[in-house]
Amino acid sequence: MRLEPAILPSPAADAAGDDIVDAIGGGATTGADGYAAELAHQILRTLSLEQKVAMLHQHAPAVPELGLAPFHTGAEAAHGVAWLGPATVFPQPVGMAATWDADLIERLGEATGRELRGKKAEDPSVGLNAWAPVVNPLRHPLWGRNEEGFSEDPHLTAELAGAYCRGLKGRDSHTWLTVPTLKHFLGYNNELDRNVTSSNLSPRVLHEYELPAYRSPIEEGVAGAVMLSYNLVNGRPAHVSDLVQSELRQWHNGKSVTIVTDAGAPGSLFRAEKYFDDGPAAYAAALHAGVDSFTDDGDNPAPSIAYLNEALEKDLISEADIDRAVLRLLTLRARTGEFTPENDPYATIGTDAIGAAAHVRLAREAAAKSVVVLRNDPGTGDASDAGTGLLPLGSDPGTIAVIGTLGSRVLSDWYSGTLQDEVSIANGLARRYGGGTAAGVVAEEGADVVALRSVRTGGYLGGDGTAVLTAQAAVPGETERFIVKDWGKGELTLQSELTGKFVTDTGDGYLHATADRVGGWVVQETFRLDHAADGTAALQHVGTGKWLRIEAGTASAALVPGAGTADRFVLRTLKSGHEAARQAASAARTAVVVVGNDPHLGGRETLDRTTLDLPLAEQELIRIVREANPRTVLVIVSSYPYALGALADTPAIVWTSHGGQELGNGVADVLSGDTEPSGRLPQTWFRRDADLADILDYDIITSRSTYLYSRAEPLFALGHGLTYGEVHYESVALRELRGEGLHGADQVELAVELRNTGARPASELVQVYASAPGHRFDFPRRLLVGHQRVEVPAGGAATARIRVPLHRLATYSVVEERMLVEPGTYQLLVGASAEDLPLAVPFTVTGKAGPGRRSGRWFRAANFDSCHNLALVPETPLTGTAVAPADTTRPGWALYRGWEPAPADGNQVLLDVVSSEPEGAAGLVRIQIPGPADTWNTVGRAEVAPGYSGELVVQLRSGTAFGDGSGAFRLVLEGAVTVSRVQLE
């Protein structure tokens, strides 16, 4: 666009503009972001109120008189450009994170950004606001969107996702390649009822676990936007959370960050969540909370514009509120050079960037570096294996059988681009060992091939091309042969053996064998079999819930609502998948059995998993292959961790995420030994479901969950991954590094001596964890505080030097309401994973401990040390957090420790009661202090009258002491009592 001379600004525009421009340094036009904000401010001053309101929807219209083009927020780019056709597909984010390689991930981000620019060159309507990366820490491995996140550890998430942001932002100091968006703020790790469940985030969990993943990329200046999450946080919808203003906006660069909603979330505020009465109230509250762009009603902005205009008419919002949001949106656009194309260094990027050869090579590098060798013991079928691991396969491994559906296919996920020239694991190994003829490599899916005969009509189901399937054939021919794949929980696919196409509902109510792959927001390619005692089965289509019936006359395969009219079928097994797998495994020198998930099934957006276990069909396939060939390599291709049970003793086990188009080449590079394995797990693999907290329990401290607090022995720990060498951790030395301040060291450096006694070089990831057994608060059992990759030559030694900033030892003080490093002795543990830590060195932090709780001062009731049956709830609809029993039929309590001595006589506790049950039985408040043998003695109680709110005095028993040895009290709430503040007098 070409900027016309500015008209006189409105006072509202100037007030909003000056606020944000100054916040991001706009007054100093030498700064790139300051210049973008100043430019955005100039444009803002020329817009009418009507034009500004229209810009608040995701799909903003053009302003022809100013030369402004249409614009929309959001281009999916989780691991390559998605939803825009063919593009280079990199490993899923959880696979990227398995590299623990920030430099590589930055290059992946840059390649993705360049391809998004290439898509824009192809189609000018493509936006440069990338909706990536997801930075929700992987708190729970059953989360359906596990594949989209980076790590269980929030700081590792911030480091690696921040690297992806750096790549997406680009290297130019003035213009952003794209504008990355951090998703999803905040406390989002469940799909079950995701837009109506509330994530309880205590202050410690909030500040130590949730916020760090967002803060670092924002303060580094590599993320320009944040998307809010569907869920509620502490009883308040995230889209009106006060944490945007009280936390995110207070960080360095926070005021300039554009806040976008998730799709459909604004409407959910007054529909599903019913938090507001109507659209205008919901939109006004979201705007005040910090939202700048509303993604609602698809590409139809009319409802959103109507809600905002009505909110203006009702004085729920002002023009200044609109201006603040529009200015951030215009700043986002200005950063990409949209308004100054003559100065855009990326303007020359064309369509040749899409799928560029350099990007394909990068995809292969990433695929290989994300492969994690979990186990590597000798096979028992060959004397040559004695004393060595089954891997690497080497240059002459003999015949290899690749068994399993995932060995012959490369699968995409919901946020993948369209795959091109993809290489399966079977193809990758064939290229490595057999060239184009696949000599020496045999692929076998291990799935049954069946024919389905309608009992009622006698015809076999089949058909070719795009025609509707029919049940007319008297005998099964080529078009009546279907590959059946059981994906777990009774969900299966039918794939034409002749064409490779999947049976699907195309929307006309009939079945066709036309789908290239399983996919779609609602999958249309899966079925369930309803078995009867007579051996027949009816087919239910999962996507619609309808049943298969063969129509009279045409014999067409139609979907009907009722099971009562469904046809029943006899399944004839034309080929036994188990027998084919057994034969292939026994005939090969080495069997590679490949299992895992389809990213669209079992666990995905909108669907959490229900178990860590592999599907039973996959378990049985592994057993068959192992029984047939003791030289079995188990390759797991999955979006998330699995529990393996008795199968965990398979000689060699390898994991990779769905590794993109170069999956097969990357896996072959590692299995062969052409590339030394360097991948490490970015999250814990737990042994059993019982080791997990409830997926809706976000209090990782109280529930003892994640690697930080769990005492369950994992199957494979965070950071685990083997090399083909034999690395020993020999010694560690600590050196204090004095900072610029007056308070001594602000970081330490560890020198770790390593020796490799193996015959191959090792790419070792040296990890440092902190523990503090004597800490006065509940310090994590293990806390990742540093890591470094070091190459250790075969038969040689190397030194890793890792710096640990002392601020990484901080915990959130519920008294001072900030992060503090407590004085005391810490252990710095060094090793190859969170559980393999052979070296330790103590380190003492000097100084004065933080103050204890003091009488005569109000403190937030939410700032407890521990709790039971307690929910965090809104103090008012839009601000503050209070506490109340989660289940009002049972008492809930909060424990407050660390009191400084209080008066011994006449003590009382003051409570700020927000609300109580409006009618019915009175509520009850009790104050308890510790007694002998882990008992609690009640020293004060008070009833809370129905409908009461205000200050409540709880008189305590004479002589009650809080500081002389006990140092704690419990606030017990019974009934629907909500308390926001507490004071001891």
Side-chain angles (χ1 to χ4, degrees), residues 219-567:
E219 294 201 325
E220 189 185 339
V222 295
V226 168
M227 177 185 286
L228 303 180
S229 55
Y230 284 115
N231 54 283
L232 295 83
V233 176
N234 297 343
R236 181 180 296 114
H239 278 70
V240 292
S241 173
D242 56 351
L243 293 171
V244 172
Q245 301 287 15
S246 66
E247 293 292 339
L248 189 153
R249 292 286 190 217
Q250 304 309 309
W251 302 337
H252 179 59
N253 297 319
K255 285 185 169 59
S256 67
V257 167
T258 302
I259 303 295
V260 302
T261 75
D262 210 336
S268 182
L269 289 169
F270 61 95
R271 296 186 182 108
E273 293 168 344
K274 298 178 175 59
Y275 203 76
F276 298 95
D277 293 333
D278 54 30
Y283 272 65
L287 192 67
H288 283 299
V291 168
D292 301 309
S293 176
F294 294 87
T295 307
D296 217 358
D297 299 295
D299 60 0
N300 177 19
S304 294
I305 291 173
Y307 294 143
L308 289 164
N309 281 330
E310 187 173 344
L312 280 166
E313 293 170 4
K314 294 180 175 179
D315 290 329
L316 300 177
I317 56 175
S318 68
E319 186 173 355
D321 298 322
I322 300 288
D323 287 346
R324 275 186 285 270
V326 173
L327 188 56
R328 291 191 183 97
L329 287 163
L330 290 171
T331 300
L332 182 153
R333 296 168 66 174
R335 284 170 164 167
T336 66
E338 177 183 342
F339 307 137
T340 53
E342 67 281 2
N343 297 325
D344 181 0
Y346 304 115
T348 58
I349 296 176
T351 57
D352 57 344
I354 303 167
H359 296 173
V360 175
R361 291 192 296 271
L362 183 61
R364 181 169 184 166
E365 179 187 352
K369 288 184 174 179
S370 67
V371 172
V372 183
V373 178
L374 299 174
R375 178 180 167 92
N376 190 22
D377 282 2
T380 58
D382 194 320
S384 65
D385 292 335
T388 64
L390 188 53
L391 297 174
L393 298 176
S395 59
D396 186 18
T399 304
I400 301 171
V402 180
I403 301 167
T405 297
L406 292 179
S408 299
R409 303 184 198 172
V410 179
L411 302 183
S412 58
D413 59 37
W414 179 244
Y415 291 103
S416 291
T418 302
L419 288 163
Q420 50 188 345
D421 302 321
E422 62 267 33
V423 181
S424 69
I425 292 174
N427 286 339
L429 287 168
R431 291 181 181 186
R432 171 61 179 84
Y433 291 114
T437 62
V441 177
V442 175
E444 171 55 56
E445 289 204 23
D448 288 346
V449 178
V450 304
L452 295 91
R453 179 174 60 84
S454 168
V455 174
R456 183 170 57 84
T457 69
Y460 285 89
L461 186 69
D464 55 8
T466 61
V468 173
L469 296 183
T470 61
Q472 293 177 316
V475 295
E478 286 186 333
T479 60
E480 284 73 44
R481 297 171 66 93
F482 294 96
I483 302 169
V484 179
K485 170 62 180 176
D486 183 347
W487 293 99
K489 300 295 183 182
E491 195 167 11
L492 56 87
T493 52
L494 296 170
Q495 185 183 20
S496 169
E497 188 184 42
L498 178 65
T499 66
K501 303 288 187 179
F502 290 90
V503 177
T504 186
D505 173 20
T506 61
D508 62 359
Y510 293 90
L511 296 184
H512 308 252
T514 56
D516 292 322
R517 61 182 63 247
V518 176
W521 184 251
V522 178
V523 171
Q524 300 297 323
E525 293 78 35
T526 59
F527 300 85
R528 297 188 191 279
L529 291 174
D530 177 40
H531 294 278
D534 62 2
T536 63
L539 267 76
Q540 184 181 30
H541 181 250
V542 175
T544 61
K546 295 182 178 180
W547 297 81
L548 175 57
R549 176 174 173 79
I550 304 304
E551 288 185 332
T554 63
S556 296
L559 294 174
V560 297
T565 59
D567 269 275

Side-chain angles (χ1 to χ4, degrees), residues 845-857:
V845 175
T846 60
K848 184 179 179 181
R853 301 182 191 272
R854 299 176 185 175
S855 60
R857 296 184 180 181

Side-chain angles (χ1 to χ4, degrees), residues 688-866:
R688 58 190 67 84
D689 293 340
D691 295 338
L692 305 178
D694 189 283
I695 196 170
L696 296 180
D697 189 346
Y698 281 74
D699 188 345
I700 63 170
I701 301 176
T702 301
S703 65
R704 316 305 296 178
S705 58
T706 76
Y707 89 96
L708 293 161
Y709 296 98
S710 175
R711 296 193 176 276
E713 182 182 357
L715 177 61
F716 301 114
L718 170 73
H720 174 73
L722 303 180
T723 71
Y724 292 151
E726 188 71 30
V727 177
H728 300 275
Y729 285 70
E730 297 201 322
S731 67
V732 59
L734 181 147
R735 180 168 67 102
E736 296 183 13
L737 300 176
R738 183 169 294 277
E740 296 180 358
L742 302 176
H743 303 292
D746 61 6
Q747 60 180 325
V748 297
E749 181 182 80
L750 300 183
V752 184
E753 301 296 333
L754 308 171
R755 183 165 298 278
N756 180 5
T757 59
R760 296 181 65 96
S763 180
E764 183 71 5
L765 183 73
V766 182
Q767 300 159 49
V768 181
Y769 295 81
S771 69
H775 203 282
R776 69 171 181 154
F777 298 123
D778 207 344
F779 196 83
R781 176 173 172 266
R782 301 280 191 273
L783 174 66
L784 179 67
V785 293
H787 63 90
Q788 184 186 74
R789 179 85 58 190
V790 60
E791 304 301 322
V792 192
T799 302
R801 297 188 184 277
I802 305 171
R803 292 191 175 187
V804 178
L806 296 192
H807 66 75
R808 286 291 290 109
L809 304 177
T811 53
Y812 184 78
S813 168
V814 292
V815 176
E816 299 244 327
E817 297 187 345
R818 62 189 178 98
M819 297 291 288
L820 290 175
V821 179
E822 290 289 332
T825 299
Y826 295 81
Q827 291 284 333
L828 297 179
L829 314 172
V830 182
S833 78
E835 293 292 325
D836 180 11
L837 298 166
L839 301 178
V841 58
F843 175 71
T844 299
V845 175
T846 60
K848 184 179 179 181
R853 301 182 191 272
R854 299 176 185 175
S855 60
R857 296 184 180 181
W858 286 103
F859 64 90
R860 306 298 306 178
N863 285 335
F864 48 75
D865 291 285
S866 63

